[in-house]
Each structure stands twice: as C-alpha cells, then as structure tokens.
Short mmCIF file of all heavy atoms in Angstrom, two decimals:
data_model
loop_
_atom_site.label_atom_id
_atom_site.label_comp_id
_atom_site.label_asym_id
_atom_site.label_seq_id
_atom_site.Cartn_x
_atom_site.Cartn_y
_atom_site.Cartn_z
N LEU A 1 43.07 38.80 31.56
CA LEU A 1 43.37 37.42 31.18
C LEU A 1 44.54 36.86 31.99
O LEU A 1 45.48 37.58 32.35
CB LEU A 1 43.68 37.35 29.69
CG LEU A 1 42.43 37.39 28.79
CD1 LEU A 1 42.82 37.76 27.36
CD2 LEU A 1 41.71 36.06 28.83
N LYS A 2 44.44 35.57 32.25
CA LYS A 2 45.46 34.87 33.02
C LYS A 2 46.03 33.73 32.17
O LYS A 2 45.35 33.23 31.27
CB LYS A 2 44.83 34.28 34.29
CG LYS A 2 44.14 35.29 35.18
CD LYS A 2 43.47 34.59 36.35
CE LYS A 2 42.75 35.57 37.27
NZ LYS A 2 42.10 34.90 38.40
N PRO A 3 47.23 33.29 32.48
CA PRO A 3 47.80 32.16 31.72
C PRO A 3 46.88 30.93 31.75
O PRO A 3 46.81 30.19 30.76
CB PRO A 3 49.11 31.89 32.44
CG PRO A 3 49.52 33.22 32.98
CD PRO A 3 48.24 33.87 33.39
N GLU A 4 46.16 30.74 32.83
CA GLU A 4 45.26 29.57 32.91
C GLU A 4 44.03 29.70 32.03
O GLU A 4 43.24 28.75 31.92
CB GLU A 4 44.84 29.30 34.36
CG GLU A 4 44.31 30.51 35.11
CD GLU A 4 45.38 31.19 35.95
OE1 GLU A 4 46.53 31.36 35.47
OE2 GLU A 4 45.05 31.57 37.10
N ASP A 5 43.85 30.86 31.40
CA ASP A 5 42.77 31.01 30.42
C ASP A 5 43.18 30.49 29.05
O ASP A 5 42.35 30.44 28.14
CB ASP A 5 42.37 32.49 30.30
CG ASP A 5 41.75 33.04 31.57
OD1 ASP A 5 40.95 32.32 32.20
OD2 ASP A 5 42.07 34.19 31.92
N THR A 6 44.42 30.11 28.91
CA THR A 6 44.90 29.59 27.63
C THR A 6 44.13 28.32 27.25
O THR A 6 44.07 27.37 28.02
CB THR A 6 46.40 29.26 27.71
OG1 THR A 6 47.12 30.49 27.91
CG2 THR A 6 46.89 28.58 26.45
N ALA A 7 43.53 28.36 26.08
CA ALA A 7 42.70 27.23 25.62
C ALA A 7 42.18 27.52 24.23
O ALA A 7 42.29 28.65 23.73
CB ALA A 7 41.53 27.01 26.57
N VAL A 8 41.61 26.50 23.64
CA VAL A 8 40.80 26.71 22.43
C VAL A 8 39.38 26.99 22.91
O VAL A 8 38.83 26.21 23.70
CB VAL A 8 40.83 25.48 21.51
CG1 VAL A 8 39.91 25.70 20.32
CG2 VAL A 8 42.25 25.19 21.04
N TYR A 9 38.83 28.08 22.44
CA TYR A 9 37.50 28.49 22.85
C TYR A 9 36.49 28.13 21.75
O TYR A 9 36.71 28.45 20.57
CB TYR A 9 37.47 29.99 23.12
CG TYR A 9 38.09 30.34 24.45
CD1 TYR A 9 39.47 30.26 24.63
CD2 TYR A 9 37.31 30.73 25.53
CE1 TYR A 9 40.06 30.54 25.85
CE2 TYR A 9 37.88 31.03 26.76
CZ TYR A 9 39.25 30.94 26.91
OH TYR A 9 39.83 31.22 28.13
N TYR A 10 35.42 27.49 22.17
CA TYR A 10 34.37 27.06 21.25
C TYR A 10 33.06 27.76 21.58
O TYR A 10 32.67 27.82 22.75
CB TYR A 10 34.15 25.55 21.36
CG TYR A 10 35.34 24.71 21.00
CD1 TYR A 10 36.26 24.33 21.95
CD2 TYR A 10 35.52 24.27 19.68
CE1 TYR A 10 37.36 23.54 21.63
CE2 TYR A 10 36.61 23.49 19.34
CZ TYR A 10 37.53 23.14 20.33
OH TYR A 10 38.62 22.36 19.99
N CYS A 11 32.39 28.23 20.56
CA CYS A 11 31.04 28.73 20.77
C CYS A 11 30.05 27.63 20.39
O CYS A 11 30.37 26.73 19.60
CB CYS A 11 30.77 29.99 19.95
SG CYS A 11 30.99 29.82 18.17
N ALA A 12 28.88 27.69 20.98
CA ALA A 12 27.87 26.68 20.76
C ALA A 12 26.50 27.32 20.80
O ALA A 12 26.30 28.32 21.50
CB ALA A 12 27.99 25.57 21.81
N ALA A 13 25.56 26.71 20.09
CA ALA A 13 24.20 27.24 20.02
C ALA A 13 23.20 26.13 20.26
O ALA A 13 23.37 25.02 19.75
CB ALA A 13 23.94 27.90 18.68
N ALA A 14 22.17 26.45 21.03
CA ALA A 14 21.08 25.52 21.29
C ALA A 14 19.85 26.02 20.55
O ALA A 14 19.47 27.20 20.71
CB ALA A 14 20.80 25.43 22.78
N LEU A 15 19.23 25.12 19.76
CA LEU A 15 18.08 25.52 18.97
C LEU A 15 16.83 24.71 19.29
O LEU A 15 15.74 25.04 18.78
CB LEU A 15 18.38 25.38 17.47
CG LEU A 15 19.14 26.51 16.79
CD1 LEU A 15 20.58 26.62 17.30
CD2 LEU A 15 19.15 26.31 15.28
N ARG A 16 16.98 23.65 20.07
CA ARG A 16 15.84 22.75 20.26
C ARG A 16 15.22 22.86 21.64
O ARG A 16 14.01 23.03 21.76
CB ARG A 16 16.28 21.31 20.00
CG ARG A 16 16.70 21.03 18.57
CD ARG A 16 17.16 19.60 18.44
NE ARG A 16 18.30 19.33 19.31
CZ ARG A 16 18.77 18.11 19.58
NH1 ARG A 16 18.17 17.06 19.08
NH2 ARG A 16 19.81 17.96 20.37
N ALA A 17 16.00 22.72 22.70
CA ALA A 17 15.45 22.70 24.05
C ALA A 17 14.83 24.05 24.40
O ALA A 17 15.41 25.09 24.14
CB ALA A 17 16.54 22.35 25.05
N ALA A 18 13.67 24.00 25.02
CA ALA A 18 12.98 25.24 25.37
C ALA A 18 13.75 26.03 26.42
O ALA A 18 13.86 27.25 26.34
CB ALA A 18 11.57 24.92 25.87
N THR A 19 14.28 25.32 27.41
CA THR A 19 15.06 25.96 28.48
C THR A 19 16.31 25.12 28.73
O THR A 19 16.37 24.36 29.68
CB THR A 19 14.23 26.10 29.76
OG1 THR A 19 12.97 26.68 29.45
CG2 THR A 19 14.95 26.99 30.77
N PRO A 20 17.29 25.24 27.87
CA PRO A 20 18.47 24.38 28.01
C PRO A 20 19.27 24.71 29.26
O PRO A 20 19.30 25.86 29.71
CB PRO A 20 19.27 24.68 26.74
CG PRO A 20 18.82 26.04 26.32
CD PRO A 20 17.38 26.14 26.73
N ASN A 21 19.90 23.69 29.81
CA ASN A 21 20.84 23.89 30.90
C ASN A 21 22.11 24.45 30.27
O ASN A 21 22.81 23.75 29.54
CB ASN A 21 21.12 22.56 31.60
CG ASN A 21 22.02 22.72 32.80
OD1 ASN A 21 22.96 23.51 32.77
ND2 ASN A 21 21.76 21.96 33.85
N LEU A 22 22.42 25.69 30.54
CA LEU A 22 23.49 26.39 29.84
C LEU A 22 24.86 25.77 30.07
O LEU A 22 25.76 25.96 29.25
CB LEU A 22 23.51 27.86 30.27
CG LEU A 22 22.24 28.66 29.97
CD1 LEU A 22 22.38 30.07 30.53
CD2 LEU A 22 21.96 28.71 28.47
N GLN A 23 25.02 25.03 31.16
CA GLN A 23 26.33 24.49 31.50
C GLN A 23 26.65 23.17 30.81
O GLN A 23 27.81 22.75 30.81
CB GLN A 23 26.44 24.27 33.00
CG GLN A 23 26.23 25.51 33.85
CD GLN A 23 26.27 25.17 35.31
OE1 GLN A 23 27.32 24.89 35.88
NE2 GLN A 23 25.12 25.19 35.95
N LEU A 24 25.63 22.51 30.24
CA LEU A 24 25.85 21.17 29.72
C LEU A 24 26.12 21.19 28.21
O LEU A 24 25.28 21.64 27.43
CB LEU A 24 24.61 20.30 29.98
CG LEU A 24 24.30 20.01 31.44
CD1 LEU A 24 23.05 19.16 31.54
CD2 LEU A 24 25.47 19.35 32.14
N PRO A 25 27.25 20.66 27.78
CA PRO A 25 27.54 20.59 26.34
C PRO A 25 26.45 19.86 25.56
O PRO A 25 26.18 20.20 24.41
CB PRO A 25 28.87 19.84 26.28
CG PRO A 25 29.50 20.07 27.61
CD PRO A 25 28.37 20.12 28.58
N SER A 26 25.83 18.86 26.18
CA SER A 26 24.83 18.06 25.48
C SER A 26 23.58 18.85 25.13
O SER A 26 22.78 18.42 24.31
CB SER A 26 24.45 16.85 26.33
OG SER A 26 23.93 17.27 27.58
N GLU A 27 23.40 20.01 25.75
CA GLU A 27 22.22 20.83 25.47
C GLU A 27 22.38 21.66 24.19
O GLU A 27 21.42 22.23 23.72
CB GLU A 27 21.97 21.79 26.64
CG GLU A 27 21.60 21.09 27.95
CD GLU A 27 20.17 20.61 27.98
OE1 GLU A 27 19.29 21.38 28.36
OE2 GLU A 27 19.95 19.44 27.60
N TYR A 28 23.58 21.71 23.68
CA TYR A 28 23.87 22.54 22.51
C TYR A 28 23.88 21.68 21.24
O TYR A 28 24.40 20.57 21.23
CB TYR A 28 25.21 23.25 22.69
CG TYR A 28 25.19 24.25 23.82
CD1 TYR A 28 25.49 23.85 25.13
CD2 TYR A 28 24.86 25.58 23.59
CE1 TYR A 28 25.45 24.77 26.17
CE2 TYR A 28 24.82 26.50 24.63
CZ TYR A 28 25.12 26.08 25.92
OH TYR A 28 25.08 26.99 26.96
N ASP A 29 23.32 22.24 20.19
CA ASP A 29 23.12 21.49 18.95
C ASP A 29 24.21 21.76 17.91
O ASP A 29 24.45 20.91 17.04
CB ASP A 29 21.76 21.85 18.36
CG ASP A 29 20.64 21.62 19.35
OD1 ASP A 29 20.43 20.48 19.76
OD2 ASP A 29 19.98 22.62 19.74
N TYR A 30 24.79 22.92 17.95
CA TYR A 30 25.79 23.28 16.95
C TYR A 30 27.00 23.90 17.63
O TYR A 30 26.86 24.62 18.62
CB TYR A 30 25.21 24.27 15.93
CG TYR A 30 24.07 23.68 15.12
CD1 TYR A 30 22.75 23.86 15.52
CD2 TYR A 30 24.33 22.93 13.98
CE1 TYR A 30 21.71 23.30 14.81
CE2 TYR A 30 23.29 22.38 13.24
CZ TYR A 30 21.98 22.56 13.67
OH TYR A 30 20.96 22.01 12.95
N TRP A 31 28.16 23.64 17.04
CA TRP A 31 29.42 24.10 17.61
C TRP A 31 30.25 24.79 16.54
O TRP A 31 30.26 24.35 15.37
CB TRP A 31 30.21 22.92 18.18
CG TRP A 31 29.55 22.32 19.39
CD1 TRP A 31 28.51 21.44 19.41
CD2 TRP A 31 29.89 22.57 20.75
NE1 TRP A 31 28.18 21.13 20.71
CE2 TRP A 31 29.01 21.81 21.56
CE3 TRP A 31 30.85 23.36 21.37
CZ2 TRP A 31 29.07 21.82 22.94
CZ3 TRP A 31 30.91 23.37 22.76
CH2 TRP A 31 30.03 22.60 23.53
N GLY A 32 30.96 25.81 16.96
CA GLY A 32 31.92 26.45 16.08
C GLY A 32 33.21 25.67 16.04
O GLY A 32 33.39 24.69 16.78
N GLN A 33 34.13 26.11 15.22
CA GLN A 33 35.36 25.37 14.99
C GLN A 33 36.42 25.63 16.06
O GLN A 33 37.41 24.91 16.13
CB GLN A 33 35.95 25.72 13.61
CG GLN A 33 36.79 26.99 13.56
CD GLN A 33 35.96 28.27 13.64
OE1 GLN A 33 34.74 28.24 13.79
NE2 GLN A 33 36.64 29.39 13.53
N GLY A 34 36.24 26.60 16.89
CA GLY A 34 37.21 26.90 17.93
C GLY A 34 38.20 27.98 17.52
O GLY A 34 38.58 28.08 16.34
N THR A 35 38.58 28.78 18.48
CA THR A 35 39.60 29.81 18.25
C THR A 35 40.56 29.78 19.43
O THR A 35 40.15 29.70 20.58
CB THR A 35 38.95 31.20 18.07
OG1 THR A 35 39.94 32.17 17.75
CG2 THR A 35 38.17 31.64 19.30
N LEU A 36 41.85 29.81 19.13
CA LEU A 36 42.88 29.63 20.15
C LEU A 36 43.21 30.93 20.85
O LEU A 36 43.49 31.95 20.21
CB LEU A 36 44.14 29.05 19.52
CG LEU A 36 45.35 28.86 20.44
CD1 LEU A 36 45.03 27.87 21.56
CD2 LEU A 36 46.56 28.39 19.63
N VAL A 37 43.19 30.88 22.17
CA VAL A 37 43.60 32.00 23.01
C VAL A 37 44.82 31.54 23.82
O VAL A 37 44.75 30.54 24.53
CB VAL A 37 42.47 32.44 23.96
CG1 VAL A 37 42.99 33.49 24.93
CG2 VAL A 37 41.30 32.98 23.15
N THR A 38 45.91 32.28 23.68
CA THR A 38 47.13 31.96 24.41
C THR A 38 47.50 33.17 25.25
O THR A 38 47.67 34.27 24.72
CB THR A 38 48.27 31.62 23.45
OG1 THR A 38 47.89 30.52 22.63
CG2 THR A 38 49.52 31.23 24.24
N VAL A 39 47.61 32.96 26.56
CA VAL A 39 47.94 34.04 27.48
C VAL A 39 49.28 33.73 28.12
O VAL A 39 49.45 32.71 28.78
CB VAL A 39 46.87 34.20 28.56
CG1 VAL A 39 47.20 35.41 29.45
CG2 VAL A 39 45.49 34.36 27.93
#
C-alpha cells in the first residue's frame, strides 16, 4: 500500500447488464456504503 491509495473504497455489483463494462460506475446497480483506507 502507498499513501496515494488513501481513499474511501466502495464495492459495487451489477445485476442487469449481460456483459457490463467493468470500468464504468453506471454499469453497476448497487453500491456498498464505503470503507475508509488510510495509508
């Protein structure tokens, strides 16, 4: 881990698109609340 990795990390799940573009937030349908990582 590096100091520049410091952030709130969010998980997300896609349930609708058959082949979602993994990089696009809009492809994900549900999001977690976030967990803080401080380096």
